[in-house]
């Protein structure tokens, strides 16, 4: 099934995503026509169960597609909707049509069936049709809200000019409210967000690496392409190493999250992808020199996303601390065994 999704998504990206389309999206809302292409091809419902109209795919099946979306800097909440629809379907809620987004940490209150509260940094929150969030109750519940229930909105954008809006609800009528299932924890939205951002960063790192390789082979200095200089080759090799590490860690996290999101592998993936993002952006801008900082040259489309995505859904510090705490709780006597046996650290 993965091959089918990879082939389908790459065809969509090659046919519809261009530098001009990405830049145009930085000052506009979600492109309805472009969104419909992804939806008509079943991409957004890939992980939803067949009973809910989805493909019943595994996380591993969709991994390459989300990496590709990061590689092409897709200006749509495709990855967010894939995850949100998986969570809704897993919670026995019928996923709706159109973009579905979520907030990672803020929670809402529910009283007499009405929902109130504020959600911050919601990707494409102002133009998405539906929002998924958690309630701040003794027994947290998953809430699906219509975008039409937003009382007020403060529109902001991240460094990549992607919408990250603040939404306020006041006695809103939810479409659905269900208690979290036993396999879903209260940090599920942060983990899911970190998982998809890791994949997107892995794809974007591969993009800037290819751009830098192409440029280094074309730019001539002192009578030969700069890619022939050992110092440049060394820097490019470092980016290639980081790209490989980010993809490997991400693929592992997707593979281990079949039944439930695997916090350890997600932490490793987010750490590796974020560190790769920093190194790749720094080095590839150095290789390009002054041209890499111009608006006309498309390198910034990818690097601005790398700088933004690395801090979303938990920074390197956050995930490194969490991973370190897990290792310490396990104890030194189990540390080496968990590494060589491939066991998940708990």
């Amino acid at each position: 099934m993965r091959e089918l999704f990879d082939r389908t998504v790459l065809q969509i990206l090659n046919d519809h995503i261009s530098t001009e389309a990405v830049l145009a999206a930085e000052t506009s809302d979600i492109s309805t026509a472009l969104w419909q292409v992804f939806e008509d091809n079943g991409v957004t419902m890939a992980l939803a169960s067949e009973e809910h109209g989805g493909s019943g795919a595994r996380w591993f099946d969709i991994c390459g597609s989300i990496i590709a979306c990061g590689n092409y800097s897709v200006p749509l909440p495709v990855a967010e909707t894939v995850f949100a629809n998986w969570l809704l379907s897993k919670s026995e809620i019928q996923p709706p049509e159109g973009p579905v987004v979520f907030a990672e940490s803020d929670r809402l209150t529910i009283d007499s069936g009405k929902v109130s509260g504020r959600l911050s940094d919601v990707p494409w929150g102002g133009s998405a049709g539906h929002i998924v969030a958690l309630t701040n109750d003794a027994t947290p519940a998953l809430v699906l809200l219509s975008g039409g229930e937003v009382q007020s909105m403060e529109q902001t954008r991240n460094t990549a000019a992607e919408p990250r809006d603040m939404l306020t609800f006041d006695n809103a009528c939810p479409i659905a409210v269900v208690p979290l299932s036993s396999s879903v924890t209260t940090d599920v939205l942060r983990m899911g967000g970190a998982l998809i951002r890791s994949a997107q960063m892995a794809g974007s790192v591969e993009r800037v690496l290819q751009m830098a390789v192409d440029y280094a082979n074309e730019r001539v200095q002192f009578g030969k392409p700069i890619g022939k200089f050992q110092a440049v080759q060394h820097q490019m090799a470092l980016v290639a190493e980081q790209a490989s590490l980010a993809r490997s860690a991400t693929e592992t996290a997707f593979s281990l999250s079949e039944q439930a999101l695997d916090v350890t592998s997600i932490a490793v993936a987010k750490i590796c992808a974020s560190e790769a993002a920093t190194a790749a952006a720094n080095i590839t801008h150095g290789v390009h020199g002054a041209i890499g900082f111009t608006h006309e040259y498309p390198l910034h489309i990818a690097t601005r996303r790398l700088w933004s995505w690395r801090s979303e859904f938990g920074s390197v510090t956050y995930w490194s601390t969490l991973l370190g705490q897990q290792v310490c709780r396990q104890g030194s006597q189990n540390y080496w065994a968990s590494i060589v046996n491939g066991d998940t650290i708990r």
Side-chain angles (χ1 to χ4, degrees), residues 85-227:
N85 285 341
W86 168 82
L87 183 57
L88 290 173
S89 180
K90 190 176 183 66
S91 303
E92 298 301 328
I93 299 175
Q94 176 63 48
E97 295 183 353
V100 187
V101 296
F102 59 93
E104 63 157 312
S105 57
D106 297 317
R107 295 188 188 178
L108 306 174
T109 60
I110 186 166
D111 184 28
S112 301
K114 299 296 181 68
V115 176
S116 300
R118 178 178 296 174
L119 301 176
S120 58
D121 297 322
V122 184
W124 284 274
S127 52
H130 298 85
I131 302 97
V132 170
L134 297 179
T135 62
N136 191 24
D137 301 319
T139 303
L142 187 71
V143 178
L144 175 62
L145 292 157
S146 167
E149 291 289 337
V150 175
Q151 183 191 49
S152 63
M153 173 181 58
E154 180 181 335
Q155 293 183 309
T156 59
R157 291 179 181 262
N158 63 12
T159 303
E162 296 174 313
R164 297 294 185 263
D165 303 320
M166 179 177 291
L167 310 179
T168 301
F169 298 89
D170 186 19
N171 289 322
C173 295
I175 297 173
V177 180
V178 297
L180 290 181
S181 65
S182 57
S183 62
V184 176
T185 60
T186 55
D187 59 351
V188 62
L189 298 180
R190 172 166 287 186
M191 286 198 296
L195 182 62
I196 61 176
R197 287 291 182 268
S198 298
Q200 289 172 299
M201 284 190 286
S204 194
V205 168
E206 292 174 356
R207 167 66 60 154
V208 299
L209 172 61
Q210 187 60 56
M211 292 180 67
V213 168
D214 292 343
Y215 180 79
N217 288 330
E218 296 171 358
R219 178 73 166 92
V220 175
Q221 189 70 32
F222 304 112
K224 61 180 179 180
I226 62 173

Side-chain angles (χ1 to χ4, degrees), residues 43-344:
V43 178
T44 58
M45 289 287 285
L47 299 180
S49 67
E50 295 180 2
E51 290 77 8
H52 290 126
S55 301
R58 304 168 301 164
W59 273 106
F60 179 76
D61 295 325
I62 202 69
C63 181
S65 298
I66 298 181
I67 289 175
C69 285
N71 189 291
Y72 280 72
S73 300
V74 173
L76 297 169
V78 174
E80 288 86 349
T81 302
V82 168
F83 166 72
N85 285 341
W86 168 82
L87 183 57
L88 290 173
S89 180
K90 190 176 183 66
S91 303
E92 298 301 328
I93 299 175
Q94 176 63 48
E97 295 183 353
V100 187
V101 296
F102 59 93
E104 63 157 312
S105 57
D106 297 317
R107 295 188 188 178
L108 306 174
T109 60
I110 186 166
D111 184 28
S112 301
K114 299 296 181 68
V115 176
S116 300
R118 178 178 296 174
L119 301 176
S120 58
D121 297 322
V122 184
W124 284 274
S127 52
H130 298 85
I131 302 97
V132 170
L134 297 179
T135 62
N136 191 24
D137 301 319
T139 303
L142 187 71
V143 178
L144 175 62
L145 292 157
S146 167
E149 291 289 337
V150 175
Q151 183 191 49
S152 63
M153 173 181 58
E154 180 181 335
Q155 293 183 309
T156 59
R157 291 179 181 262
N158 63 12
T159 303
E162 296 174 313
R164 297 294 185 263
D165 303 320
M166 179 177 291
L167 310 179
T168 301
F169 298 89
D170 186 19
N171 289 322
C173 295
I175 297 173
V177 180
V178 297
L180 290 181
S181 65
S182 57
S183 62
V184 176
T185 60
T186 55
D187 59 351
V188 62
L189 298 180
R190 172 166 287 186
M191 286 198 296
L195 182 62
I196 61 176
R197 287 291 182 268
S198 298
Q200 289 172 299
M201 284 190 286
S204 194
V205 168
E206 292 174 356
R207 167 66 60 154
V208 299
L209 172 61
Q210 187 60 56
M211 292 180 67
V213 168
D214 292 343
Y215 180 79
N217 288 330
E218 296 171 358
R219 178 73 166 92
V220 175
Q221 189 70 32
F222 304 112
K224 61 180 179 180
I226 62 173
K228 298 296 184 181
F229 290 97
Q230 187 175 19
V232 175
Q233 292 175 345
H234 175 67
Q235 292 297 300
M236 301 299 289
L238 292 178
V239 180
E241 290 173 358
Q242 290 293 328
S244 179
L245 180 59
R247 175 179 275 269
S248 177
T250 297
E251 295 271 7
T252 299
F254 273 70
S255 297
L256 294 177
S257 295
E258 294 302 322
Q259 302 301 320
L261 298 183
D262 185 78
V263 62
T264 302
S265 62
I266 290 174
V268 172
K270 189 60 162 62
I271 293 166
C272 291
S274 298
E275 291 183 340
T278 300
N282 292 345
I283 292 174
T284 56
H285 270 290
V287 170
H288 279 85
I291 193 174
F293 289 92
T294 63
H295 188 74
E296 293 75 17
Y297 194 79
L299 180 64
H300 68 92
I301 292 177
T303 54
R304 285 189 290 119
R305 281 163 175 76
L306 289 174
W307 288 323
S308 299
W309 292 341
R310 64 184 178 179
S311 61
E312 293 183 346
F313 300 108
S315 64
V316 170
T317 300
Y318 171 84
W319 288 108
S320 296
T321 301
L322 183 146
L323 186 61
Q325 290 171 341
Q326 289 184 325
V327 171
C328 291
R329 281 198 299 268
Q330 179 174 276
S332 59
Q333 68 277 11
N334 297 317
Y335 178 67
W336 181 248
S338 67
I339 294 177
V340 296
N341 295 329
D343 298 333
T344 299

Side-chain angles (χ1 to χ4, degrees), residues 3-25:
E3 182 180 352
L4 175 61
F5 278 116
D6 287 353
R7 186 170 61 249
T8 300
V9 170
L10 281 175
Q11 187 65 55
I12 294 173
L13 299 177
N14 287 324
D15 290 346
H16 298 278
I17 304 298
S18 63
T19 297
E20 294 73 22
V22 176
L23 291 175

